């Protein structure tokens, strides 16, 4: 299996000292997880390499024979302005450093500087280059309204423009190594988005899914990090954690909002350091998986309430995708209904039935607290009891009625309906407005409109006649 290179673009190390190039390469790979490295000892070959390879960042020595680092820096900035340059020099001179920054260098380091500081500088430059490339990709996709890989979203049934924007954003951020936070209500399909992100990343490893809700700190650590033999009572043999199982792939952590504070600290360290210790081991392992997390909770609100770490929250939301609820993309309801009816009929060994046109009107006026998952359950329930040629609406009506009854107390939540600086309409005017709105939403269907108003159909019919004659 081929190991995925990080970052997605190449890092070119330029220095005429082979020993320095070798030691820097090893340090970047061991301490920074940076594996997409090119090395060059001859400064005259650099421009040719930049023309041939997908290079995003260059580390450049200043004092080299033939073509000096300063002259090379000028050429790179002029001919390849999208490539970042870090100068690494043996000269500890403020004037030289300032001049390099003025010429366009991203940063300046002295070779005798602490190795950790240099590696952090390279990682920081890689992150900024990734953000720059993502912004360029986003602009291109939104301006052209294109999807480069629509096949990655083939398993997601939608025609909604908001969802298309989500797909375009995912295409832009999927190749990077940064975490993705997927938010949205329960049942909107967050795991499907995680699968699409994994497919788009091009990673050769598997997608490993873990629901972290209800895991205490010890179970969370053992699940993710694994353990050595004898790490605790009952650990008779070593076990690889989910991070190791997801090597060169994607680790999907669902319900991340339910993590305890202690487990949040462990996850933060994993994301910051890129390494972890299996339980019972004193030798660190490098994380080779991309992390995608999901939650139905408002992490921003939990963070303000002190229930979620601020540093972890901001690290997770480097790339954030919000999936709109089904009630905000009602044009998807007919598409999803067709899909689930076909799926249910095939699974249950029945012919797919036709359904009355007013069914989609009924569903469009329902809030779907369970979102796509709830619509799927409705469709399967309806097919399971279906016997006639036309699908009955009874299952759908019964579910909607029961949900509305259960949520009856929630409907009394105070809402601002009338403007404070305007006079109140009369009761008669309000009634007429409600009837008009209900009939509009029901597309003229009195049975559905009466359900929306909470009255009987004869009562609505009587009201409509009175409105026409008045």
């Amino acid at each position: 299996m081929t190991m995925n290179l990080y970052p997605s673009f190449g890092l070119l190390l330029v220095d005429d000292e082979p020993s320095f190039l070798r030691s820097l390469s090893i340090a970047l790979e061991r301490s920074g997880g940076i594996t997409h490295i090119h090395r060059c000892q001859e400064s005259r070959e650099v421009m040719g390499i930049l023309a041939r390879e997908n290079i995003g960042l260059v580390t450049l020595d200043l004092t080299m024979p033939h073509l000096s680092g300063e002259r090379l820096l000028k050429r790179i900035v002029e001919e390849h302005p999208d490539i970042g340059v870090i100068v690494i020099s043996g000269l500890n001179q403020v004037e030289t450093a300032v001049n390099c920054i003025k010429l366009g260098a991203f940063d300046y380091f002295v070779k005798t500087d602490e190795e950790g500081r240099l590696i952090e500088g390279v990682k920081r430059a890689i992150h900024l280059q990734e953000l720059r490339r993502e912004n360029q990709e986003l602009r291109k996709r939104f301006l052209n309204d294109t999807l480069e890989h629509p096949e990655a979203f083939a398993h997601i049934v939608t025609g909604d423009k908001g969802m298309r924007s989500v797909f375009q954003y995912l295409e832009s951020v999927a190749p990077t190594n940064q975490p993705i936070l997927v938010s949205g209500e329960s049942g909107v399909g967050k795991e499907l988005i995680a699968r699409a992100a994994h497919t788009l990343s091009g990673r050769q490893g598997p997608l490993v899914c873990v629901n972290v809700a209800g895991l205490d700190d010890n179970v969370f650590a053992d699940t993710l990090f694994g353990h050595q033999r004898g790490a605790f009572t009952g650990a008779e043999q070593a076990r690889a954690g989910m991070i190791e199982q997801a090597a060169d792939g994607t680790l999907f952590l669902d319900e991340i909002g339910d993590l305890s504070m202690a487990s949040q600290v462990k996850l933060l360290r994993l994301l910051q350091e890129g390494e972890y210790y299996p339980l019972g081991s004193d030798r660190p392992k490098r994380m080779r998986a991309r992390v995608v997390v999901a939650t139905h909770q408002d992490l921003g609100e939990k963070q303000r309430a002190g229930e979620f770490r601020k540093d972890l929250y901001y690290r997770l939301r480097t790339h954030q995708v919000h999936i709109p609820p089904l009630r905000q993309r009602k044009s998807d309801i007919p598409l999803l209904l067709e899909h689930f009816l076909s799926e249910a009929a095939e699974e249950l060994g029945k012919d797919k039935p036709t359904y009355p046109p007013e069914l989609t009107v009924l569903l469009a006026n329902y809030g779907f607290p369970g979102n796509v998952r709830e619509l799927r359950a409705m469709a399967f329930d309806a097919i399971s009891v279906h016997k006639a040629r036309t699908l009955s609406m009874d299952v759908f009506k019964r579910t909607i009625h029961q949900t509305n009854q259960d949520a009856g107390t929630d409907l009394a939540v105070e809402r601002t309906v009338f403007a404070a600086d305007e006079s109140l309409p009369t009761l008669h005017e309000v009634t007429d407005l409600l009837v008009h709105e209900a009939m509009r939403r029901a597309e003229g269907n009195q049975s559905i409109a009466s359900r929306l108003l909470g009255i009987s159909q004869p009562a609505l019919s009587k009201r409509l006649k009175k409105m026409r004659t008045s």
Side-chain angles (χ1 to χ4, degrees):
M1 183 180 292
T2 304
M3 187 179 76
N4 292 288
L5 296 176
Y6 174 74
S8 58
F9 53 81
L11 169 61
L12 177 61
L13 312 181
V14 183
D15 199 295
D16 61 328
E17 298 179 24
S19 59
F20 179 75
L21 285 178
R22 186 168 55 254
S23 63
L24 180 57
S25 298
I26 294 171
L28 289 170
E29 183 169 353
R30 286 182 177 174
S31 302
I34 300 165
T35 56
H36 199 170
I37 296 175
H38 301 258
R39 293 187 289 189
C40 178
Q41 294 176 229
E42 172 55 71
S43 59
R44 291 174 294 186
E45 297 176 359
V46 170
M47 300 308 293
I49 295 174
L50 298 184
R52 293 192 310 271
E53 305 289 343
N54 176 27
I55 303 296
L57 184 65
V58 176
T59 66
L60 189 62
D61 183 25
L62 279 188
T63 53
M64 293 183 292
H66 308 300
L67 185 61
S68 71
E70 192 168 330
R71 288 174 59 195
L72 197 50
L73 172 60
K74 289 180 181 178
R75 288 193 61 184
I76 294 173
V77 171
E78 289 173 2
E79 298 180 29
H80 301 278
D82 289 339
I83 296 178
V85 180
I86 294 177
V87 174
I88 304 177
S89 173
L91 302 173
N92 188 5
Q93 297 178 355
V94 174
E95 185 178 347
T96 304
V98 170
N99 187 50
C100 288
I101 299 300
K102 284 181 178 179
L103 288 174
F106 174 77
D107 213 336
Y108 183 100
F109 292 95
V110 180
K111 286 185 178 180
T112 55
D113 282 348
E114 182 185 344
E115 184 180 272
R117 183 169 168 267
L118 172 57
I119 293 169
E120 285 303 313
V122 172
K123 289 168 64 177
R124 185 167 59 248
I126 287 173
H127 180 50
L128 289 175
Q129 283 296 91
E130 287 179 333
L131 289 177
R132 178 190 291 179
R133 290 190 169 205
E134 287 163 18
N135 287 334
Q136 290 172 343
E137 286 296 312
L138 272 175
R139 283 198 299 270
K140 182 179 74 175
R141 284 180 170 83
F142 281 123
L143 286 173
N144 299 330
D145 194 24
T146 57
L147 285 176
E148 299 279 332
H149 302 283
E151 68 280 359
F153 308 101
H155 57 293
I156 303 175
V157 179
T158 183
D160 182 70
K161 287 185 177 179
M163 290 296 289
R164 185 175 178 83
S165 297
V166 168
F167 297 166
Q168 290 171 329
Y169 179 75
L170 271 182
E171 282 194 334
S172 299
V173 305
T176 74
N177 210 39
Q178 299 299 318
I180 296 178
L181 169 61
V182 184
S183 60
E185 296 177 6
S186 294
V188 293
K190 296 186 287 293
E191 185 171 336
L192 295 180
I193 293 297
R195 291 186 181 280
H198 172 68
T199 301
L200 290 166
S201 71
R203 292 174 172 267
Q204 302 298 311
L207 171 67
V208 176
C209 304
V210 184
N211 190 318
V212 300
L215 298 185
D216 64 31
D217 186 46
N218 291 329
V219 176
F220 174 78
D222 186 33
T223 301
L224 257 64
F225 307 144
H227 61 253
Q228 297 288 92
R229 182 181 178 184
F232 50 84
T233 303
E236 297 178 357
Q237 56 185 355
R239 186 183 68 82
M242 294 299 186
I243 297 172
E244 189 170 341
Q245 293 178 37
D248 298 320
T250 302
L251 178 65
F252 175 52
L253 303 178
D254 201 5
E255 300 300 348
I256 199 73
D258 292 327
L259 270 188
S260 68
M261 295 299 281
S263 295
Q264 289 177 34
V265 172
K266 288 182 170 63
L267 180 58
L268 176 63
R269 286 175 180 165
L270 174 69
L271 295 175
Q272 283 180 333
E273 306 299 329
E275 60 182 26
Y276 63 97
Y277 291 85
L279 300 183
S281 172
D282 57 0
R283 297 182 62 183
K285 288 190 173 184
R286 194 82 205 162
M287 180 173 71
R288 289 162 45 205
R290 202 270 187 84
V291 175
V292 177
V293 302
T295 181
H296 70 279
Q297 302 185 51
D298 185 341
L299 290 190
E301 185 60 39
K302 286 182 71 72
Q303 174 259 312
R304 287 187 289 273
E307 299 171 357
F308 202 87
R309 291 183 63 95
K310 182 184 292 187
D311 44 9
L312 177 59
Y313 171 60
Y314 286 113
R315 183 165 286 273
L316 289 176
R317 61 169 293 184
T318 303
H319 300 308
Q320 183 169 4
V321 173
H322 181 73
I323 312 303
L326 187 55
R327 63 182 172 275
Q328 292 179 7
R329 45 188 177 105
K330 293 183 177 180
S331 61
D332 279 348
I333 291 176
L335 299 175
L336 288 164
L337 180 63
E338 286 281 353
H339 175 74
F340 291 141
L341 289 178
S342 298
E343 188 178 61
E346 182 178 352
E347 188 170 314
L348 297 173
K350 295 185 176 184
D351 293 331
K352 179 189 171 187
T354 59
Y355 57 84
E358 57 265 31
L359 176 57
T360 55
V361 179
L362 174 71
L363 296 177
N365 285 283
Y366 176 55
F368 280 104
N371 290 290
V372 179
R373 185 185 296 131
E374 184 180 10
L375 177 56
R376 183 181 187 276
M378 283 184 180
F380 270 73
D381 192 19
I383 291 292
S384 66
V385 299
H386 168 68
K387 292 180 181 179
R389 175 177 294 180
T390 303
L391 188 68
S392 171
M393 292 174 54
D394 289 345
V395 167
F396 299 93
K397 289 178 179 178
R398 187 166 58 248
T399 303
I400 291 171
H401 177 69
Q402 184 61 49
T403 303
N404 288 340
Q405 273 196 328
D406 294 342
T409 54
D410 296 333
L411 299 178
V413 176
E414 185 177 344
R415 290 182 294 177
T416 303
V417 179
F418 307 107
D421 57 349
E422 294 181 4
S423 59
L424 286 172
T426 65
L427 191 59
H428 176 77
E429 290 170 338
V430 170
T431 303
D432 287 351
L433 285 171
L434 278 172
V435 170
H436 278 302
E437 180 63 17
M439 288 297 291
R440 184 192 68 80
R441 294 189 183 192
E443 297 182 10
N445 187 297
Q446 291 188 25
S447 176
I448 295 174
S450 63
R451 286 177 172 273
L452 295 175
L453 293 169
I455 61 176
S456 67
Q457 186 174 343
L460 174 60
S461 181
K462 184 178 179 181
R463 181 73 199 181
L464 289 168
K465 288 178 183 177
K466 185 178 179 182
M467 289 169 60
R468 285 194 287 268
T469 56
S470 61

